[in-house]
Structures are given as C-alpha cells and as structure tokens.
Amino acid sequence: MVTIDLKELTKRFGEVVACDDIDLHVEDGELFTLLGPSGCGKTTILRCIAGFYTPEEGQIFFDETNITRVPPNNRNTGMVFQNYAIWPHMKVFDNVAFGLKIRKIPKVTIRKKVEDILELVRLGGLAGRTPFQLSGGQQQRVALARALVIEPTVLLLDEPLSNLDAKLRLEMRHEIKRIQKEFGITTIYVTHDQEEALSISDRIAVMQLGKIMQVDSPREIYEEPHNLFVADFIGSCTFIPGTIKQTDSGKPVIETPWGLELKGRTTSKDVSLRKGEEVYVAIRPEDFKVRRPTEPFNVIPSTIESVVFTGRYYHVYADVGGTNSVNAELDPDTPIKIGDKKELHVNHSDAIILKIEDDPFASHIKQLLEGKAIAK
Amino acid sequence: MASIFSVEGLKQRASGLFNRTKDWILSGRKLFHFDYYKELAHRYRQEMGVFSSVQLIAVVLVFLFFMVIPLFAVIGTAFSVNGVFDFLWFRLIFSDARFWPVNGCSPQPPIEITGDYLYIRGVNCGAIINSIYVGLATTLISTLIGVTLAFFMARYDFHGKSILRILILIPILSTPFVSAIAIQKIFGEFGMLNLLFHDILRIMPYRVIFEGLAAVILVQSLHFFSLVYLSTYAAFLAIDPSLEEQGENMGAKGFGLFRKVTLPLALPGIEAGAILTFILSVEDLGTLIVYESDAVVRRTITYQVYSLIFAPTGSINPIAPALSVILLLIAIIGFLFIRRYMSLRHYAMMSKGGTWNPRLHKPKWWQYIAIYGFIGVVLFLALLTPLGIIFLAFSTEWGITILPLNFPTVANFFQVFTDPLVLQSIFNSLFYSGVAVLFIVILATGTAYIVARKKLPGIGSLDLLVTIPIALPGIVIAMGYFLFFVRIPIFTTTILNPLVTAVPLLIMAFAVRKFPFTVRSTFAGLQQTNVEYEEAAENLGASRARVFAGIVIPLVAVSVLSGAMMSFVYCMSEVSVSLILGGVQPAEAPLTWKMADILSQVAAGSHHAAVLGLLLMIIQIIIITIVNVVLKSRTESMVGL
Ligand SMILES: Nc1ncnc2c1ncn2[C@@H]1O[C@H](COP(=O)(O)OP(=O)(O)O)[C@@H](O)[C@H]1O
Ligand SMILES: [Mg+2]
C-alpha cells in the first residue's frame, strides 16, 4: 500500500479558494479523516486526490510518485461517492464487476472476486438484484464493494454515511472500520460529523475555510485543541475571556475581567504567553464540577440560569461574572435548581488557554460572547 | 424577471447587454498573454481527451460546411456586387414596391363586408412587412390560445383531460403544409364551415372568406398554438406550488393570483414558445405554397426567395441573397431572445431540484362551462385539419358540399401509390431522414455530452452552433448550398454539387436543421443524470470512451431515442430545403416536394396530396405516440429547445 502526501496544494474556483496551501501526510494503512463544516474544502481535497480536479498549485504523491497530473482512471483509487453513484442500469454484480472487467481479468476470477467482496460487505446472495431493490445501507455496501474489489492503492470516502439513518450510521461506522483494517488500505475519510470522525479515525485533520487547523489523533484533537476553531468545533466548549497574569512554571494564571483567577495550561509546547496578553480559556462541559471544599484554586462562583436533567447528568447554563455563561454537565447526586448559587471548579489541566493573537477565529468567538452578554 | 413585452424589461435587457459587452472587451485583454493559451491548451487536453476531441471536430466540421459557410456565402453575396462590397441589393429591395411599401400599403381594407360576404384579408405592405405581420399575428393568436389552454390543463382537474392532452397535440403532428391543404378547403367560399354555419344553420350572418395574409395566419395559428401550449404547460408545471400558496396567503385569489404570481413565473416558458412560433411562422414556406395562387400570399419574403431561385440550373436572382439576409436577421434576433430565457429557465429549474405535485383545482360549474366551451372550440378547429385531410384523401371532389362527394373511396390511393415517382419520393424521404437521423444521433450525443459536462471556454459557442439551426430559415440554407457548392469550382464535379446530385446535400440539410431536437433532448437527459455515475466509472479505471459507451449512453438512451424520433418526424415533414433541392432532379425529390408538385400539377391535386399528407401524419402520430407514451418523453425533444 502507499502513503499519501499533499504538498502546498491549492485549488481555486474563480474567487473561491476551496483549499489553500494544504500540506498533509497520510501513513500507509491509516484511516485519515478530513473533518470540518460544510464548504470548508474537504470534498475538493478528496477530488484532487482522485484526479477529478487539477490543483492550481502544489503536488500530490502516492509514495514517491507524483500523480498530480495523472488522469483519474490511471490512479487506481477507489472512491465511494456521497450518493453512492450505483449505476441504475446494472445489476449489483455488474456494478461491482465493472472495475475488474476494465482490468481485463478472466471471467472466472471476476466471479470469484465479486462473490468474495460481496460476502465481505455482507451482501452475499444479492448479486442479482437491481439497485432499485436495495436499501440505502445496502447501496452503501455495494459502493464500498465496488471500490474495494479493484484493490485500489487508496480508498476515498466522501461523507459515506450522511445519507443513512442514525442507527444504520452507527452500524456502518464499525463496518467500515473493520473492512478498512482487514484490507489495511490507506484511507481518506471525509465527514462533517465530529462524533463520526472521533470514533472511526486513526488521525483527523480539522479544516476550516480551505485550511487545515490541526492534524492529530482523535484523542488529541479532543483534549488538546491547538486553536479556538478546533476547540469550538469539537465538543461544545465554554470560552471565558481573560488576560495572562502569571506565566511561570508551565501553569499560567489568567484573570477574567471580573477579577476571577484561573490556572490553566497550553496545548502545544511552542506557545509562548506574555504577561498582560488577552486569551480565552476553553473548558468542556464535562470538566466542570461542583466544588469540593478541599479545592482552593479555580473556584468559579456561578448562578444557575437553566437546568435540564438528562439522566446521566444535569445540563446547566450558569452565569459567571454577570456577563458570561458557562455550559456544564454536573453530577446528578446533589439536586440543582434555577437560581442556586454554586461554586464550580475546573482542574487546571482542563482549562485550556488559547491565544487570541493571530487567530482569525477569535473575532467570531468575541462576537458570540458579546452577543450573549447583551442578551443578559 | 422583466418581460420583453414591457419598456422596463427592454431597458433592463439593453443595460445588461452593455455591461456584458464591457466585461467581454475587458476580459479580451488576457487574449494577449501567451500563458493564457498554454493554460487553455492544458485544460482542453485534460477535459476532452482524444475521444471527445474527435466528436467535437466532426460536429464543428459538419456545421461549418453545411451551415456556417453556406450562410456566409449568402451574406457575402448579399453585400457585394461583382465581389466588391456594396449595399446595392438592399437599396434595390427597399425601393421596390414588391418588398417595401414605397408607395404605401395596399388600399384594400383588412376586413371588408360586401353583401353577405365577410372578407378577412389583413394588410399588404410589401414582402418584408407582410412577413413580420404574419409572424406577429400568428404569434399573438397562438399565444392567447396556447396559454389559456395550458392554464386550464395545468390547474384544473376535469373529466376527459387525459384524452384532451393527446388530442391537443394533434395539430403539432402535421406540418402547416399539410394543414393548409385541408384548411383551404374547409374555410373556402363554399367550404364546409360556410355551408354549415352560414347557409344551413344560419349562425353566421356572413359568408366568411379568408384571403391573403389572413389565410396564412389562420393556418399557422391553428398549427402553432399547440407549440405555445406545450412550452407553457411545461412552465406551469415547473412552478413551485408553495409560491402560489404564498400568494394566496397574502390575499391574492383567482385571476389576480394568476396575473400577479403564476403568469410572471411562467413567463420565460411562454415567451420561449411565442418567439419560436414567430420564427417558424416567418420561415414557413409550406402554407405559402398551398395558397400561392393568391398574389398577396406570394408577397412574403420566404415565397419571394423561393421563387427567385431556379433550382434546375442553380440560377439565383441577385436580389434573393439580400432578401434572405433580411429573413435571417428577423429569425436570429428572435432566437437570441429565446436563448436568454432558456438559460434562465434551466437555472430556475436546477435551483429547485425535485418535482412536485402541481396544484389542481376542481372547477366550479361555471368554470366547467368556460373550460369545456373554450377547449371545445379550439379542439374543433384543431381537429378540422386531420378531418379535412381524411375527407380529401378518401373522396374525389369536395368543393361546394359540406361532406365530400364519392366518400369514401380509395381511388386516390390507387392512383397515388401506383405512381412510381410517388413511391420513389416516399422511399427517398424515408432514406434521407433515416440517414440524417443516423448522423444526428452519432454527432448529437457526443455534442450534448460535451456541452453538458465539459467546462471549457467556447462551449457556449458550440451550444449556440448546434441549436441555432432551429432559427435558420431552410430556404436560406438551401440558397447557401447553391451559392457555395455550385459556384465554388472545387465542388462542381463532386456529389456535393446539387446540380450533380441533391442527395448528399438533402441529407446534410436534414441532419443540420433537425439536429437541435436530439441535442436538446439528450442534453436535458444528461442534466438529469448525476455526473458522479461517470466519475465512478472513471475512478474505477474506465477510459473516456468506455465511460461514454458504458455509462453515459445507457443512462441517456431514452432521451437520445426520443429526440432522434422527433428529429426523424421533422425530417420527414421538412419543406423548405426539400422544395428547392428536390426541384433539381424529380427522381431524387423527397415526399414534400412531390406533394407540392402534385398540388400544382394534377387536376385533383389536393385529394392526391392529402393522401400523402395522411401518410405523413400517420407516421408522425405513431412516432409521437411512442415518444410520449412509451418513452415518457419531455418537451425538449418536441420543441427542440
Ligand atoms: N465545482 C465547483 N465550482 C465552484 N465552486 C466550488 C466547486 N466545488 C466546490 N466549490 C466551492 O469550494 C468550497 C469548498 O467546497 P467543498 O470542497 O465541496 O466543501 P466540503 O466538501 O467541505 O463541504 C465551497 O465554497 C464551494 O462552494
Ligand atoms: Mg463535500
């Protein structure tokens, strides 16, 4: 199998820069996900790799081979389209056999291979069906089988589960992962669904506006967001504004506008904070706790504004400092009701300090917070 | 969406044109950079591949040789005297009372009552104004009838609708040429209508006589209203019902809703049908041939051009090319208007995605009366044509009685089908149309594919090139062939010289002229077919040719087929080029030429011609039924847009 490298890849559509100076390395056999909101350029990258778009700048490598200008039919990629693109005028068998026929493989071998792959995607016995007789999930499997049967060097999946209902989606997630590992095939998986990305991927590239914001393992993407966009896009962080008060000993302290001090941490080593610098502190809902008396630091006095009991936790919005709201999931052991004054606590390792400087997304967060403040 | 029927709309359009021209000139600067061409060459190579390139070159060559260059030969001849640029021919035309009302129009009143005769004849202002007058009047009448009909059909649910839907298509099944033969009889001085409604029932106080241009307008309107109907009906069906509901919520009701919401939304479709009617009316030669004994009918551009070409020797009156250019100009201006609308309409359709259930009302009792009354009258008039043809074909005399004499008899069939020249002409038409459609299918599929799928500069021009034939008067193309293939020495001894044999040129003329029906139908089919089907095949390693043959063709086969069948129908009933090129050697002449020949030569001409007209109609009915019922075809192939 192969590694995939994108070098300074840029693709424009008129004024729109659909993907902007992308550098990416995908390991051999890895399930690599492009994750981002709709329109951020995921499909564009995938189609550049498949050869349907020619980038304006940059190169694409499969191992050491530059394939940037190789036509799509000579790239030996297997692509699964968002709407599956199962040919309606062919039976399931002919759909799957198409790529093999083009490779002039003997009929007997084709029959064997098609049967095997249909078995693998759990469609054994359906070879004689027409596409109209298949459910969405089955069409999805045919598309996957059709792409895999040619033993492509890379597998490209464009939002393969977005047309399925929720239950089937969960099931197919496991299925795709299983098949991908079984083949050991280098795979690029496109989705806008963060949960899907986190659960299926070896590594994830989070994208926004044609740029890659962070590339990491799911766990790191979740726990170590490098910038405001990633923190905001993954999960639902609360952002608290503040200025740096102290920077020593790797445990920087920030002070919020209403005088609250919070100890936090940064997520990458090469971040250097200056005293007095403005930052945001990002905290995930599940990292808020009701304070226990033994905890002297990071105590956040708050007033509960709204509360929903979900069974596993209380989902609350609580006012802090009179101008900000936090979004927290609190332990259901002690009852909580609107108007309660609660002291919240957050571990210093769960308070992630993110720089505002040079982050284009900061203004967006600022607007968001201001909007909320005005609403109060 | 501003209409061309309003001052605002025209103003808007003019400023749009100005801005586009400005952009075009500014963007022209890049043409001076070498890199632009390098990039362009790369993109062509990337997108087209060998396969599409071959198709493209073939199409362009065919259209170049059998349409563009002959047209330029006409234009060149029109603007020159002995090879030197000159407006002489135009000066002659505009100072000649035959063509331009230098001494004013004819003093004969357009409508006149003498005794118990009511003459409806229209104006007579020289060929140029006459042609435009016929075009405008036909368009107006066809549009009024067609739009009303479409509205009833699209918005009301009533008994007998499904049968009506098919019956309404009948007028479009014949050509005006065939209709005219019947209508001339039925509306004659002692024709069926006058005898029935004036003499016997005494409903009409006068004996109504249609003469001159009015007769032409009558024939054409009874034919073309179904064209406007088709295009409007499609437009009504395409309107998002929620838009109308919104209008209702805001208080619009009944006719107010129709005028303020429905009509504006359907306007592009209506106008496209109307303008197409105008073009086809202006270029129609068949009706004029049937009425050629009327001196005013002869005074139309199309007829004048026709009469100024003497096919057997290929000699052309030098004024004819200039007249052709005027005809061409009128038609092309109309066509460019349609093109603006069609692109807009396609856009509107794409933005909506799926189809919906149109809103259908149950009519109230008085609406029932209005609907049935209106449709009854229209249908009666429309069905007169096939009825008249049947009466004529199965009788030997039909002049002064309501029903024909000696009816029914098959004597005409015997005489017609034992004439070897007639049989030859039927065979010729089938053969020419068949070969032409073969050409069309091979070339149009590839062309539609390139136009629909390849995003390259110049594709718009290709689209224009292959759809414009619908606006090109056949008579001008025929003249172009004479000017180009007869007069250029390298062709004189080849089979492309119509004086040597007319066969190749007839076939190519059919192919070029009826190309749009197939190309538009295929294009529409491709637009409804997801590109990803093709990409999936390419992704699996299929070459471009393989994608085209294995995926594209099967997926749009139905569209291609229905388009091809319509092309065939229209080839069979083609008149203008057939009449001119057919005149060179009678043995090579197609069916429509033979019909015109019979009409003018044989004593019982109209009865014999009706037999052939009936044959033509039967072929057309069979094919259109297949296209409609079996293939569930779309209007694109019927209208050719
Ligand atoms: N064929 C195209 N023509 C013009 N613009 C395009 C085309 N494809 C994508 N774009 C634009 O490029 C941007 C990225 O699109 P895409 O890669 O499809 O996003 P995603 O798959 O992440 O939703 C969008 O702004 C989109 O509008
Ligand atoms: Mg996408």
Side-chain angles (χ1 to χ4, degrees), chain A residues 323-342:
Chain A
T323 49
N324 283 59
S325 260
V326 302
N327 158 20
E329 293 166 3
L330 298 178
D331 191 11
D333 291 349
T334 52
I336 297 177
K337 61 180 190 305
I338 293 178
D340 282 1
K341 304 238 183 269
K342 291 273 176 194

PDB file of all heavy atoms in Angstrom, chain A residues 323-342:
ATOM      1  N   THR A 323     -21.579  38.585  33.182  1.00  0.00           N
ATOM      2  CA  THR A 323     -21.601  38.832  31.741  1.00  0.00           C
ATOM      3  C   THR A 323     -21.429  37.558  30.939  1.00  0.00           C
ATOM      4  O   THR A 323     -21.660  37.549  29.744  1.00  0.00           O
ATOM      5  CB  THR A 323     -20.475  39.803  31.334  1.00  0.00           C
ATOM      6  OG1 THR A 323     -19.279  39.328  31.926  1.00  0.00           O
ATOM      7  CG2 THR A 323     -20.779  41.209  31.785  1.00  0.00           C
ATOM      8  N   ASN A 324     -20.951  36.489  31.548  1.00  0.00           N
ATOM      9  CA  ASN A 324     -20.682  35.271  30.803  1.00  0.00           C
ATOM     10  C   ASN A 324     -21.513  34.094  31.287  1.00  0.00           C
ATOM     11  O   ASN A 324     -21.941  34.056  32.434  1.00  0.00           O
ATOM     12  CB  ASN A 324     -19.198  34.902  30.908  1.00  0.00           C
ATOM     13  CG  ASN A 324     -18.363  35.769  30.011  1.00  0.00           C
ATOM     14  OD1 ASN A 324     -18.359  36.996  30.153  1.00  0.00           O
ATOM     15  ND2 ASN A 324     -17.680  35.149  29.074  1.00  0.00           N
ATOM     16  N   SER A 325     -21.698  33.142  30.343  1.00  0.00           N
ATOM     17  CA  SER A 325     -22.410  31.925  30.693  1.00  0.00           C
ATOM     18  C   SER A 325     -21.475  30.751  30.513  1.00  0.00           C
ATOM     19  O   SER A 325     -20.669  30.741  29.584  1.00  0.00           O
ATOM     20  CB  SER A 325     -23.592  31.724  29.749  1.00  0.00           C
ATOM     21  OG  SER A 325     -24.764  32.151  30.366  1.00  0.00           O
ATOM     22  N   VAL A 326     -21.574  29.755  31.391  1.00  0.00           N
ATOM     23  CA  VAL A 326     -20.857  28.522  31.112  1.00  0.00           C
ATOM     24  C   VAL A 326     -21.882  27.428  30.878  1.00  0.00           C
ATOM     25  O   VAL A 326     -23.010  27.494  31.347  1.00  0.00           O
ATOM     26  CB  VAL A 326     -19.894  28.108  32.247  1.00  0.00           C
ATOM     27  CG1 VAL A 326     -18.900  29.199  32.507  1.00  0.00           C
ATOM     28  CG2 VAL A 326     -20.664  27.728  33.492  1.00  0.00           C
ATOM     29  N   ASN A 327     -21.420  26.439  30.135  1.00  0.00           N
ATOM     30  CA  ASN A 327     -22.255  25.334  29.705  1.00  0.00           C
ATOM     31  C   ASN A 327     -21.639  24.115  30.359  1.00  0.00           C
ATOM     32  O   ASN A 327     -20.521  23.740  30.027  1.00  0.00           O
ATOM     33  CB  ASN A 327     -22.182  25.351  28.171  1.00  0.00           C
ATOM     34  CG  ASN A 327     -22.516  24.031  27.553  1.00  0.00           C
ATOM     35  OD1 ASN A 327     -23.148  23.185  28.183  1.00  0.00           O
ATOM     36  ND2 ASN A 327     -22.084  23.844  26.314  1.00  0.00           N
ATOM     37  N   ALA A 328     -22.325  23.514  31.339  1.00  0.00           N
ATOM     38  CA  ALA A 328     -21.682  22.480  32.153  1.00  0.00           C
ATOM     39  C   ALA A 328     -22.564  21.258  32.319  1.00  0.00           C
ATOM     40  O   ALA A 328     -23.780  21.341  32.264  1.00  0.00           O
ATOM     41  CB  ALA A 328     -21.342  23.050  33.532  1.00  0.00           C
ATOM     42  N   GLU A 329     -21.906  20.125  32.470  1.00  0.00           N
ATOM     43  CA  GLU A 329     -22.628  18.890  32.767  1.00  0.00           C
ATOM     44  C   GLU A 329     -22.261  18.495  34.179  1.00  0.00           C
ATOM     45  O   GLU A 329     -21.123  18.108  34.461  1.00  0.00           O
ATOM     46  CB  GLU A 329     -22.236  17.800  31.761  1.00  0.00           C
ATOM     47  CG  GLU A 329     -22.711  18.129  30.349  1.00  0.00           C
ATOM     48  CD  GLU A 329     -22.052  17.263  29.293  1.00  0.00           C
ATOM     49  OE1 GLU A 329     -21.264  16.362  29.646  1.00  0.00           O
ATOM     50  OE2 GLU A 329     -22.311  17.515  28.100  1.00  0.00           O
ATOM     51  N   LEU A 330     -23.192  18.597  35.109  1.00  0.00           N
ATOM     52  CA  LEU A 330     -22.862  18.421  36.525  1.00  0.00           C
ATOM     53  C   LEU A 330     -23.406  17.121  37.075  1.00  0.00           C
ATOM     54  O   LEU A 330     -24.438  16.618  36.624  1.00  0.00           O
ATOM     55  CB  LEU A 330     -23.413  19.594  37.335  1.00  0.00           C
ATOM     56  CG  LEU A 330     -22.832  20.974  36.964  1.00  0.00           C
ATOM     57  CD1 LEU A 330     -23.494  22.065  37.789  1.00  0.00           C
ATOM     58  CD2 LEU A 330     -21.317  20.992  37.133  1.00  0.00           C
ATOM     59  N   ASP A 331     -22.680  16.629  38.054  1.00  0.00           N
ATOM     60  CA  ASP A 331     -23.004  15.397  38.755  1.00  0.00           C
ATOM     61  C   ASP A 331     -24.445  15.419  39.264  1.00  0.00           C
ATOM     62  O   ASP A 331     -24.862  16.367  39.928  1.00  0.00           O
ATOM     63  CB  ASP A 331     -22.022  15.302  39.948  1.00  0.00           C
ATOM     64  CG  ASP A 331     -22.103  13.934  40.583  1.00  0.00           C
ATOM     65  OD1 ASP A 331     -22.739  13.056  39.966  1.00  0.00           O
ATOM     66  OD2 ASP A 331     -21.532  13.772  41.666  1.00  0.00           O
ATOM     67  N   PRO A 332     -25.240  14.381  39.008  1.00  0.00           N
ATOM     68  CA  PRO A 332     -26.653  14.408  39.407  1.00  0.00           C
ATOM     69  C   PRO A 332     -26.903  14.067  40.870  1.00  0.00           C
ATOM     70  O   PRO A 332     -28.052  14.030  41.286  1.00  0.00           O
ATOM     71  CB  PRO A 332     -27.276  13.362  38.479  1.00  0.00           C
ATOM     72  CG  PRO A 332     -26.180  12.409  38.188  1.00  0.00           C
ATOM     73  CD  PRO A 332     -24.894  13.169  38.276  1.00  0.00           C
ATOM     74  N   ASP A 333     -25.832  13.809  41.645  1.00  0.00           N
ATOM     75  CA  ASP A 333     -26.060  13.380  43.031  1.00  0.00           C
ATOM     76  C   ASP A 333     -26.740  14.454  43.879  1.00  0.00           C
ATOM     77  O   ASP A 333     -27.652  14.181  44.633  1.00  0.00           O
ATOM     78  CB  ASP A 333     -24.726  12.979  43.688  1.00  0.00           C
ATOM     79  CG  ASP A 333     -24.197  11.699  43.062  1.00  0.00           C
ATOM     80  OD1 ASP A 333     -24.992  11.074  42.302  1.00  0.00           O
ATOM     81  OD2 ASP A 333     -23.041  11.336  43.297  1.00  0.00           O
ATOM     82  N   THR A 334     -26.239  15.703  43.766  1.00  0.00           N
ATOM     83  CA  THR A 334     -26.888  16.778  44.528  1.00  0.00           C
ATOM     84  C   THR A 334     -27.883  17.494  43.639  1.00  0.00           C
ATOM     85  O   THR A 334     -27.561  17.834  42.505  1.00  0.00           O
ATOM     86  CB  THR A 334     -25.846  17.802  45.020  1.00  0.00           C
ATOM     87  OG1 THR A 334     -25.071  18.197  43.892  1.00  0.00           O
ATOM     88  CG2 THR A 334     -24.962  17.218  46.095  1.00  0.00           C
ATOM     89  N   PRO A 335     -29.086  17.723  44.111  1.00  0.00           N
ATOM     90  CA  PRO A 335     -30.105  18.391  43.288  1.00  0.00           C
ATOM     91  C   PRO A 335     -29.700  19.823  42.961  1.00  0.00           C
ATOM     92  O   PRO A 335     -29.060  20.497  43.764  1.00  0.00           O
ATOM     93  CB  PRO A 335     -31.356  18.380  44.177  1.00  0.00           C
ATOM     94  CG  PRO A 335     -31.013  17.611  45.396  1.00  0.00           C
ATOM     95  CD  PRO A 335     -29.550  17.390  45.456  1.00  0.00           C
ATOM     96  N   ILE A 336     -30.060  20.267  41.779  1.00  0.00           N
ATOM     97  CA  ILE A 336     -29.749  21.624  41.335  1.00  0.00           C
ATOM     98  C   ILE A 336     -31.024  22.234  40.801  1.00  0.00           C
ATOM     99  O   ILE A 336     -31.790  21.564  40.110  1.00  0.00           O
ATOM    100  CB  ILE A 336     -28.677  21.605  40.218  1.00  0.00           C
ATOM    101  CG1 ILE A 336     -27.366  21.032  40.774  1.00  0.00           C
ATOM    102  CG2 ILE A 336     -28.455  23.012  39.663  1.00  0.00           C
ATOM    103  CD1 ILE A 336     -26.293  20.895  39.757  1.00  0.00           C
ATOM    104  N   LYS A 337     -31.243  23.517  41.138  1.00  0.00           N
ATOM    105  CA  LYS A 337     -32.396  24.179  40.538  1.00  0.00           C
ATOM    106  C   LYS A 337     -32.035  25.606  40.140  1.00  0.00           C
ATOM    107  O   LYS A 337     -30.998  26.150  40.558  1.00  0.00           O
ATOM    108  CB  LYS A 337     -33.587  24.145  41.504  1.00  0.00           C
ATOM    109  CG  LYS A 337     -33.366  24.843  42.823  1.00  0.00           C
ATOM    110  CD  LYS A 337     -34.622  24.725  43.666  1.00  0.00           C
ATOM    111  CE  LYS A 337     -34.546  25.609  44.905  1.00  0.00           C
ATOM    112  NZ  LYS A 337     -33.350  25.356  45.732  1.00  0.00           N
ATOM    113  N   ILE A 338     -32.872  26.189  39.336  1.00  0.00           N
ATOM    114  CA  ILE A 338     -32.608  27.537  38.834  1.00  0.00           C
ATOM    115  C   ILE A 338     -32.485  28.505  39.995  1.00  0.00           C
ATOM    116  O   ILE A 338     -33.249  28.437  40.960  1.00  0.00           O
ATOM    117  CB  ILE A 338     -33.736  27.992  37.885  1.00  0.00           C
ATOM    118  CG1 ILE A 338     -33.705  27.135  36.625  1.00  0.00           C
ATOM    119  CG2 ILE A 338     -33.603  29.474  37.523  1.00  0.00           C
ATOM    120  CD1 ILE A 338     -34.792  27.444  35.638  1.00  0.00           C
ATOM    121  N   GLY A 339     -31.503  29.398  39.878  1.00  0.00           N
ATOM    122  CA  GLY A 339     -31.313  30.409  40.908  1.00  0.00           C
ATOM    123  C   GLY A 339     -30.308  30.008  41.967  1.00  0.00           C
ATOM    124  O   GLY A 339     -29.825  30.839  42.721  1.00  0.00           O
ATOM    125  N   ASP A 340     -29.950  28.713  42.043  1.00  0.00           N
ATOM    126  CA  ASP A 340     -28.944  28.258  43.001  1.00  0.00           C
ATOM    127  C   ASP A 340     -27.625  28.967  42.762  1.00  0.00           C
ATOM    128  O   ASP A 340     -27.227  29.184  41.624  1.00  0.00           O
ATOM    129  CB  ASP A 340     -28.697  26.746  42.853  1.00  0.00           C
ATOM    130  CG  ASP A 340     -29.800  25.932  43.493  1.00  0.00           C
ATOM    131  OD1 ASP A 340     -30.742  26.551  44.032  1.00  0.00           O
ATOM    132  OD2 ASP A 340     -29.712  24.689  43.431  1.00  0.00           O
ATOM    133  N   LYS A 341     -26.969  29.326  43.868  1.00  0.00           N
ATOM    134  CA  LYS A 341     -25.595  29.820  43.739  1.00  0.00           C
ATOM    135  C   LYS A 341     -24.677  28.635  43.964  1.00  0.00           C
ATOM    136  O   LYS A 341     -24.730  27.988  44.999  1.00  0.00           O
ATOM    137  CB  LYS A 341     -25.311  30.906  44.780  1.00  0.00           C
ATOM    138  CG  LYS A 341     -26.286  32.067  44.713  1.00  0.00           C
ATOM    139  CD  LYS A 341     -25.542  33.376  44.469  1.00  0.00           C
ATOM    140  CE  LYS A 341     -26.465  34.589  44.465  1.00  0.00           C
ATOM    141  NZ  LYS A 341     -26.972  34.908  43.160  1.00  0.00           N
ATOM    142  N   LYS A 342     -23.878  28.341  42.972  1.00  0.00           N
ATOM    143  CA  LYS A 342     -22.991  27.173  43.087  1.00  0.00           C
ATOM    144  C   LYS A 342     -21.575  27.628  42.839  1.00  0.00           C
ATOM    145  O   LYS A 342     -21.318  28.461  41.957  1.00  0.00           O
ATOM    146  CB  LYS A 342     -23.352  26.114  42.042  1.00  0.00           C
ATOM    147  CG  LYS A 342     -24.680  25.423  42.281  1.00  0.00           C
ATOM    148  CD  LYS A 342     -24.506  24.237  43.209  1.00  0.00           C
ATOM    149  CE  LYS A 342     -25.884  23.643  43.509  1.00  0.00           C
ATOM    150  NZ  LYS A 342     -25.862  22.722  44.633  1.00  0.00           N
TER     151      LYS A 342
END
